[in-house]
Amino acid sequence: MNQQKIALLTDSCADIPAHLIKRYDIYVVPLKLIFFDGEFSDNVDITPDEVYRRLKTELPKTTLPSGEAVENAFIRIRDAGYTKVLAINFSSGLSGTHNLVRVVGENTPGLEVAAFDTLSGSLGTGMTVLQAARWIEEGWSWHALTRALPRLMADTHVFFCVDTLEYLQKGGRIGKIAAVAGTLLQIKPIISFAPDGELVSVSKVRGRKFAMEKMVQMATALVPRGARFNLAVAHGDSPGELKEIRSMAQRALPDHENFMEGEIDCTLGVYVGPHLLGIGVQLLADELFVEL
């Protein structure tokens, strides 16, 4: 445990690799998936591979973590000796998870909880949690952490290429994304998060290769020369292409301070369907490193 006794809590949509969850003692509450044969906890008793296989015949419902699971997470944190919690969660534009965690945290005796809505997901949430973990390890104060996180989240940008909008449409998660015509022409939408945390279309590209190149270009354009930044890539059911976009991203942005490689969780896999690729950049503004 760190000297400040500050814990980190997030949800399964953060897509943080298991070894980093263990490394930084991050508490994760799983969202739920409901198939015809029962209810499953994201990445606990069902895997993304199993979800993609099942999507061929059934589109499940997704729900918030159970209130009990969130309560138990806070109790485990308190019992472990922590006194403060940074709860950093999935976009409120797509899920009520953030609000649930915030309310439960406020009503857990013995803990001071600061809840943050990342207005993002997957790489956006995961990079933010991991950067907070590094700051805690470096000894940042509670005041400095809670002041820095909003700026960090605002400077975190992610882009995803999906193979089709079919699953977003079926699941009612289409948000601000305009319909894309031209399936036969291999038109691939690139999506991101709008300021309100909903999904928005930011580009349309013909073919997967060009989509990867476009995402890397868009991410690179957000990083000023000489800026400090973190870099991340992720895939959903496309491990081979992950290697390709990772190589492209690291060539274009070689000076990253930290790198995260994730796999899309079960819940987001239901939203977007198979064959997703993503890239994220997170700027580390100089102002963040001034004690506030």
Side-chain angles (χ1 to χ4, degrees):
M1 187 195 307
N2 50 75
Q3 291 182 345
Q4 307 96 300
K5 298 182 179 180
I6 301 170
L8 283 166
L9 175 68
T10 191
D11 56 71
S12 57
C13 291
D15 298 342
I16 301 171
H19 72 281
L20 293 176
I21 290 173
K22 182 177 180 180
R23 162 77 173 77
Y24 291 111
D25 194 27
I26 298 166
Y27 291 78
V28 181
V29 290
L31 276 73
K32 298 283 189 176
L33 294 86
I34 303 173
F35 284 91
F36 77 94
D37 58 347
E39 182 177 275
F40 300 85
S41 295
D42 191 346
N43 259 328
V44 175
D45 48 20
I46 191 168
T47 65
D49 286 345
E50 176 70 7
V51 168
Y52 294 127
R53 185 184 66 78
R54 286 172 169 249
L55 281 180
K56 296 174 183 178
T57 57
E58 180 187 4
L59 186 69
K61 293 181 180 179
T62 59
T63 68
L64 309 180
S66 68
E68 181 181 9
V70 177
E71 290 173 4
N72 287 341
F74 279 116
I75 291 170
R76 292 199 311 273
I77 288 171
R78 187 182 61 199
D79 289 350
Y82 292 102
T83 58
K84 296 180 174 65
V85 185
L86 295 175
I88 302 170
N89 292 106
F90 187 36
S91 172
S92 63
L94 294 176
S95 169
T97 301
H98 160 71
N99 192 53
L100 172 63
V101 170
R102 178 186 61 79
V103 170
V104 174
E106 289 174 352
N107 289 279
T108 303
L111 289 176
E112 183 177 356
V113 179
F116 294 91
D117 177 1
T118 61
L119 297 172
S120 187
S122 187
L123 300 180
T125 303
M127 283 194 294
T128 301
V129 174
L130 290 175
Q131 187 58 44
R134 296 182 196 105
W135 285 339
I136 291 171
E137 194 171 66
E138 291 168 10
W140 282 39
S141 70
W142 176 254
H143 177 68
L145 289 163
T146 55
R147 290 290 299 274
L149 278 169
R151 172 65 187 272
L152 181 70
M153 293 187 297
D155 285 341
T156 301
H157 308 277
V158 296
F159 303 101
F160 296 99
C161 171
V162 296
D163 219 21
T164 173
L165 293 178
E166 173 189 355
Y167 295 96
L168 284 165
Q169 290 169 329
K170 285 181 178 179
R173 305 289 178 172
I174 201 70
K176 297 176 172 60
I177 302 174
V180 177
T183 301
L184 295 179
L185 297 177
Q186 290 296 299
I187 301 298
K188 303 300 178 186
I190 296 174
I191 61 178
S192 188
F193 286 89
D196 63 1
E198 290 193 22
L199 297 173
V200 61
S201 176
V202 292
S203 188
K204 301 171 188 175
V205 183
R206 182 176 296 179
R208 298 276 287 184
K209 178 73 171 181
F210 288 125
M212 283 189 273
E213 292 175 354
K214 180 66 174 178
M215 287 192 293
V216 172
Q217 290 171 5
M218 294 172 77
T220 303
L222 291 169
V223 181
R225 184 181 298 274
R228 300 175 63 182
F229 68 97
N230 296 326
L231 178 65
V233 294
H235 82 98
D237 197 39
S238 292
E241 287 179 309
L242 175 69
K243 297 178 182 178
E244 193 171 353
I245 195 170
R246 177 180 62 212
S247 176
M248 293 167 63
Q250 292 184 328
R251 283 200 307 270
L253 293 163
D255 298 324
H256 53 274
E257 294 201 0
N258 300 285
F259 180 75
M260 169 184 160
E261 183 173 299
E263 180 177 9
I264 299 300
D265 56 276
C266 300
T267 302
L268 289 172
V270 169
Y271 291 175
V272 302
H275 311 309
L276 175 143
L277 291 169
I279 182 172
V281 289
Q282 181 176 68
L283 302 180
L284 301 172
D286 290 339
E287 306 91 274
L288 295 174
F289 297 86
V290 177
E291 182 71 22
L292 299 173

